Amino acid sequence: MGEELILLNFWPSMFGARVRIALKEKGLNYEEKEEDLPNKSPLLLEMNPVHKKIPVLIHNGKPICESLIIVQYIDEMWNDKAPLLPSDPCAKAQARFWADYIDQKKSKEEAEEVKKELIEIFKVLEGALEEKPYFGGEAFGYVDIALIGFYMWFHTYETCGNFSIEAECPKIIAWAKRCLERETVSKSIHDPNKVYDLAMSFRKKFGLES
């Protein structure tokens, strides 16, 4: 059965990285179409008319939107290899809770407030990670995918907030380095320095430089 998979994405998106990683974990071939967010393509507007946002996965002409929903869809659709969510209902619910926590906890605007919130989030996540290699235990999975895309923004967070994530939350950085040893992750996440350069160009463009 032929599968046509098209990913509408924007390269520095941590949410798009989730979908890339999930597709690679399943060994699926896909075409990625880069979006120019200020000038969204007719295809993006057609496939996600409600939110008009990336990422969107188009599977045989049918769109799936929102990164965590896409990851769950990929896991259910291609459930014969590399499970991303645990089969146990309780463990699955916990994984969904932590992935939702990652997405809900971002609200501050001032640099100092952002720094405090990030450190608080990472410390809570360190508590969930405990001494395990991955959030789900021995196997890389759903919560890891939900969080690791943010790694390419860590350098930007640290530089703008004048702090070190490794100094504050060493377990998170050790976990991130472990994830990056996986080719599915390292090939899905862009250079943090390039992301920083892009962020700084946006700040300059919109007059946000301090």
Short mmCIF file of all heavy atoms in Angstrom, two decimals, residues 85-98 136 143:
data_model
loop_
_atom_site.label_atom_id
_atom_site.label_comp_id
_atom_site.label_asym_id
_atom_site.label_seq_id
_atom_site.Cartn_x
_atom_site.Cartn_y
_atom_site.Cartn_z
N LEU A 85 4.17 5.52 22.56
CA LEU A 85 3.39 5.58 23.79
C LEU A 85 3.32 4.19 24.42
O LEU A 85 3.25 3.19 23.70
CB LEU A 85 1.97 6.07 23.50
CG LEU A 85 1.79 7.60 23.45
CD1 LEU A 85 0.58 7.95 22.60
CD2 LEU A 85 1.66 8.18 24.84
N PRO A 86 3.36 4.11 25.74
CA PRO A 86 3.26 2.79 26.38
C PRO A 86 1.89 2.17 26.16
O PRO A 86 0.91 2.87 25.93
CB PRO A 86 3.50 3.11 27.86
CG PRO A 86 3.23 4.56 28.01
CD PRO A 86 3.51 5.20 26.70
N SER A 87 1.83 0.85 26.22
CA SER A 87 0.55 0.15 26.02
C SER A 87 -0.31 0.17 27.28
O SER A 87 -1.53 0.13 27.21
CB SER A 87 0.80 -1.30 25.58
OG SER A 87 1.60 -1.97 26.53
N ASP A 88 0.32 0.23 28.44
CA ASP A 88 -0.42 0.26 29.70
C ASP A 88 -1.22 1.56 29.81
O ASP A 88 -0.66 2.65 29.66
CB ASP A 88 0.56 0.16 30.87
CG ASP A 88 -0.15 0.31 32.21
OD1 ASP A 88 -0.86 -0.62 32.60
OD2 ASP A 88 0.00 1.39 32.84
N PRO A 89 -2.52 1.49 30.05
CA PRO A 89 -3.35 2.70 30.07
C PRO A 89 -2.90 3.75 31.08
O PRO A 89 -2.94 4.95 30.81
CB PRO A 89 -4.76 2.17 30.42
CG PRO A 89 -4.74 0.75 29.95
CD PRO A 89 -3.34 0.27 30.18
N CYS A 90 -2.46 3.32 32.26
CA CYS A 90 -2.01 4.27 33.28
C CYS A 90 -0.73 4.98 32.84
O CYS A 90 -0.61 6.20 32.94
CB CYS A 90 -1.79 3.54 34.60
SG CYS A 90 -1.32 4.66 35.95
N ALA A 91 0.23 4.19 32.33
CA ALA A 91 1.49 4.77 31.86
C ALA A 91 1.24 5.70 30.67
O ALA A 91 1.88 6.75 30.54
CB ALA A 91 2.46 3.65 31.48
N LYS A 92 0.30 5.33 29.82
CA LYS A 92 -0.05 6.16 28.67
C LYS A 92 -0.66 7.50 29.14
O LYS A 92 -0.32 8.56 28.62
CB LYS A 92 -1.04 5.42 27.76
CG LYS A 92 -1.35 6.13 26.45
CD LYS A 92 -2.32 5.31 25.61
CE LYS A 92 -1.68 4.05 25.09
NZ LYS A 92 -2.56 3.31 24.16
N ALA A 93 -1.53 7.43 30.12
CA ALA A 93 -2.14 8.65 30.66
C ALA A 93 -1.09 9.56 31.28
O ALA A 93 -1.12 10.78 31.12
CB ALA A 93 -3.21 8.28 31.69
N GLN A 94 -0.13 8.96 31.99
CA GLN A 94 0.94 9.76 32.60
C GLN A 94 1.80 10.43 31.53
O GLN A 94 2.19 11.59 31.68
CB GLN A 94 1.81 8.87 33.50
CG GLN A 94 1.08 8.44 34.77
CD GLN A 94 1.89 7.47 35.60
OE1 GLN A 94 2.83 6.84 35.13
NE2 GLN A 94 1.51 7.32 36.87
N ALA A 95 2.09 9.69 30.46
CA ALA A 95 2.89 10.26 29.36
C ALA A 95 2.16 11.45 28.75
O ALA A 95 2.76 12.50 28.48
CB ALA A 95 3.17 9.19 28.30
N ARG A 96 0.87 11.31 28.55
CA ARG A 96 0.08 12.41 27.97
C ARG A 96 0.03 13.60 28.94
O ARG A 96 0.05 14.76 28.51
CB ARG A 96 -1.33 11.92 27.64
CG ARG A 96 -1.35 11.03 26.39
CD ARG A 96 -2.73 10.47 26.13
NE ARG A 96 -2.77 9.83 24.82
CZ ARG A 96 -3.60 8.83 24.50
NH1 ARG A 96 -4.45 8.36 25.41
NH2 ARG A 96 -3.59 8.30 23.29
N PHE A 97 -0.03 13.32 30.23
CA PHE A 97 -0.03 14.40 31.22
C PHE A 97 1.25 15.22 31.11
O PHE A 97 1.20 16.46 31.08
CB PHE A 97 -0.16 13.81 32.63
CG PHE A 97 0.08 14.83 33.71
CD1 PHE A 97 -0.96 15.63 34.17
CD2 PHE A 97 1.36 15.02 34.25
CE1 PHE A 97 -0.73 16.59 35.15
CE2 PHE A 97 1.59 15.98 35.23
CZ PHE A 97 0.54 16.77 35.68
N TRP A 98 2.41 14.56 31.05
CA TRP A 98 3.69 15.28 31.02
C TRP A 98 3.89 16.02 29.71
O TRP A 98 4.42 17.14 29.69
CB TRP A 98 4.85 14.34 31.32
CG TRP A 98 4.90 13.97 32.77
CD1 TRP A 98 4.70 12.75 33.32
CD2 TRP A 98 5.14 14.86 33.87
NE1 TRP A 98 4.79 12.81 34.70
CE2 TRP A 98 5.07 14.10 35.06
CE3 TRP A 98 5.41 16.23 33.97
CZ2 TRP A 98 5.26 14.67 36.32
CZ3 TRP A 98 5.60 16.80 35.22
CH2 TRP A 98 5.53 16.02 36.38
N GLY A 136 10.01 7.69 29.90
CA GLY A 136 9.20 6.49 30.01
C GLY A 136 9.94 5.30 30.60
O GLY A 136 9.38 4.22 30.70
N VAL A 143 7.07 11.37 25.69
CA VAL A 143 7.43 12.57 26.45
C VAL A 143 8.79 13.11 26.00
O VAL A 143 9.00 14.32 25.90
CB VAL A 143 7.40 12.30 27.97
CG1 VAL A 143 7.74 13.57 28.75
CG2 VAL A 143 6.04 11.77 28.40
#
